[in-house]
Amino acid sequence: MINDEKDLEDLLGRLAREDDGLQAPDAHPPASKLAAYREDRLTPEEEQEIQEHLGACRECSDLLLGLEGLYERPAETGVADFETASGWRKMRARLDADAWFEAGETPVARRRSKAWRHPSITLFAAVLLAVIGFSLYTLFSPGATVQTLETVNSHRGGGEEAVEVVRLPITLLLKSPVREPLPEYRAEILDPSDRSVRKVSGLKENASFEIELPLRRWSLRPGKYHVELLGLREGRFVPVGEYAFRIAGN
Amino acid sequence: MTSVPPDDEIAELVRKIQEGKDREESARRLFAIFSPSLIRFFTRFRFSHDESRDLTQDVLFRVFKSIAEFRHDSRFESWLFEIATNIYRNEIRRRRTGKRDGQEIPLETAPDSEHPSGQTLELPSPEPDALASLGERERQKILRTAIAKMPPQMRLCCEMRYVRGLKYQEIATLMKISIDTVKAHLHQARKRLMAELGNRPGGVG
């Protein structure tokens, strides 16, 4: 019989004991992916995947909490200064035996720095980089063309609504349907068969209550697309609006 | 006590080592900054203090030996973490395959996760009679089903707290949300579970 929250927690506690050790997954994400999760370098889908894994994996949770300790480097670690000094003496002896101190510059650092010291090579590389950079920019930048999109009724309800026809590259301005500004938005672009073809995170609202969604040249094929806009509200991304557009054929 | 250095100091120390400037002093400083945190990193996995110190030596030795490979395109701590994790996983693999002369490795007992009310979720296990056990199993089944039906973030908070026994702060760190959000999710989760148990026979009395 459950009478109050204390009874509920007792029951959950017994549930915990039964589950303990049973859910450790065999396949762990590589450390680089855990670090990328901590540094917000993953896609929303990858983030969700990692969070689901963390929900079931004690080891990866502990690793990630350990990583937090490396970032924060708390002043009080329970390791005395004299112990650190003694540890360094041991490390120094180990590095000495390996002739690490005599090596001077590390091979890669030396090779890199000496090559770039020659002025003509540096100048040539700078010009080459500028030309390549400018070419890539003109080829792939969203450009100055913009198109404002209003929200549409849910496309899952069927029917054919009139949509704006655009040419790439372009920056779509999604009119925010919510009154209060939200700190961050994510957009998911779906093709006519509702297949997700592109996800963009880290979008912000501009002063005109529009969310800018840049689309590069050749990033989408001609055809009709829908955009699902999600906004960060109370720590969760929730749907805030839906938009439609058509990429013109050549 | 070690003061927390800013991130650009870490990057500068690494650069100096890579360029061979003040190599020994920079290495000593980097060692002093990270070795206490690394020892703590390993003790989290219930290695003894001495074992953690040895593993920390291995990590930082490998760091210094391969520091030329660090490209400054991520935080140094991330790169350090990757090396520490690889050494940790290798050590676990080595112990599991019994390559250390079949020696038993004593592991220190880590402190238990604390419960916000000062209690722990680990309870004595009474031997229930068959009927009570049936009721318990039924209620646990209801709970598992109810947890599985929660929205993802609430479900993960619930699992981490009640199934894994993690602290609020740890859940907030793992989920990258605030402690207040964790508490709100758990409050809602408890309400849902109480309601779910209350709607079933043998549930809330």
Side-chain angles (χ1 to χ4, degrees), chain A residues 2-159:
Chain A
I2 296 291
N3 291 313
D4 54 21
E5 288 205 9
K6 174 72 174 62
D7 286 348
L8 175 66
E9 293 203 354
D10 288 351
L11 187 57
L12 285 163
R14 291 196 290 278
L15 187 70
R17 198 172 44 226
E18 284 200 359
D19 284 356
D20 191 34
L22 296 179
Q23 293 189 16
D26 293 332
H28 300 285
S32 56
K33 200 159 186 180
L34 289 175
Y37 170 75
R38 168 61 177 75
E39 289 188 1
D40 298 324
R41 287 189 273 115
L42 297 182
T43 64
E45 293 68 37
E46 288 173 320
E47 283 228 339
Q48 180 66 28
E49 203 176 289
I50 292 285
Q51 286 182 343
E52 290 292 343
H53 182 84
L54 293 173
C57 180
R58 186 179 299 271
E59 182 180 298
C60 287
S61 298
D62 279 341
L63 282 170
L64 208 55
L65 293 169
L67 171 61
E68 203 59 31
L70 295 180
Y71 278 120
E72 290 172 359
R73 300 187 290 278
E76 197 47 68
T77 56
V79 179
D81 285 351
F82 73 83
E83 193 180 341
T84 304
S86 132
W88 168 247
R89 280 196 294 278
K90 195 174 165 189
M91 175 62 66
R92 202 198 174 292
R94 210 169 157 184
L95 291 170
D96 224 3
D98 203 63
W100 185 80
F101 293 106
E102 285 74 39
E105 277 182 279
T106 52
V108 172
R110 181 171 57 240
R111 192 165 57 243
R112 192 174 59 231
S113 59
K114 280 193 176 169
W116 289 101
R117 269 179 211 153
H118 199 288
S120 60
I121 294 177
T122 308
L123 182 66
F124 175 73
V127 171
L128 190 65
L129 278 175
V131 170
I132 292 171
F134 182 73
S135 308
L136 287 175
Y137 176 77
T138 50
L139 205 57
F140 291 107
S141 68
T145 315
V146 294
Q147 176 67 53
T148 304
L149 296 184
E150 301 280 351
T151 52
V152 295
N153 293 328
S154 174
H155 68 284
R156 291 190 177 87

Side-chain angles (χ1 to χ4, degrees), chain A residues 40 171-178 180-187 200-214 229-233 237 240 243:
Chain A
D40 298 324
T171 297
L172 298 177
L173 300 175
L174 310 178
K175 279 292 224 188
S176 173
V178 292
E180 81 281 21
L182 299 176
E184 190 185 335
Y185 293 86
R186 287 176 181 172
V200 189
S201 57
L203 299 173
K204 303 283 180 194
E205 202 168 313
N206 65 22
S208 310
F209 306 107
E210 296 161 338
I211 293 96
E212 294 182 14
L213 177 59
L229 185 66
L230 305 170
L232 184 62
R233 184 180 281 153
F237 279 93
V240 293
Y243 307 81

Side-chain angles (χ1 to χ4, degrees), chain A residues 163-239:
Chain A
V163 296
E164 297 289 349
V165 179
V166 299
R167 284 187 181 279
L168 300 179
I170 196 166
T171 297
L172 298 177
L173 300 175
L174 310 178
K175 279 292 224 188
S176 173
V178 292
R179 285 185 187 169
E180 81 281 21
L182 299 176
E184 190 185 335
Y185 293 86
R186 287 176 181 172
E188 184 169 11
I189 302 177
L190 307 163
D191 70 6
S193 56
D194 262 356
R195 197 166 51 91
S196 175
V197 291
R198 185 163 290 270
K199 290 171 182 174
V200 189
S201 57
L203 299 173
K204 303 283 180 194
E205 202 168 313
N206 65 22
S208 310
F209 306 107
E210 296 161 338
I211 293 96
E212 294 182 14
L213 177 59
L215 295 176
R216 295 192 178 93
R217 192 188 301 270
W218 301 322
S219 58
L220 294 170
R221 290 179 179 169
K224 186 181 167 188
Y225 293 89
H226 279 87
V227 181
E228 282 189 358
L229 185 66
L230 305 170
L232 184 62
R233 184 180 281 153
E234 294 171 359
R236 293 183 59 208
F237 279 93
V238 294

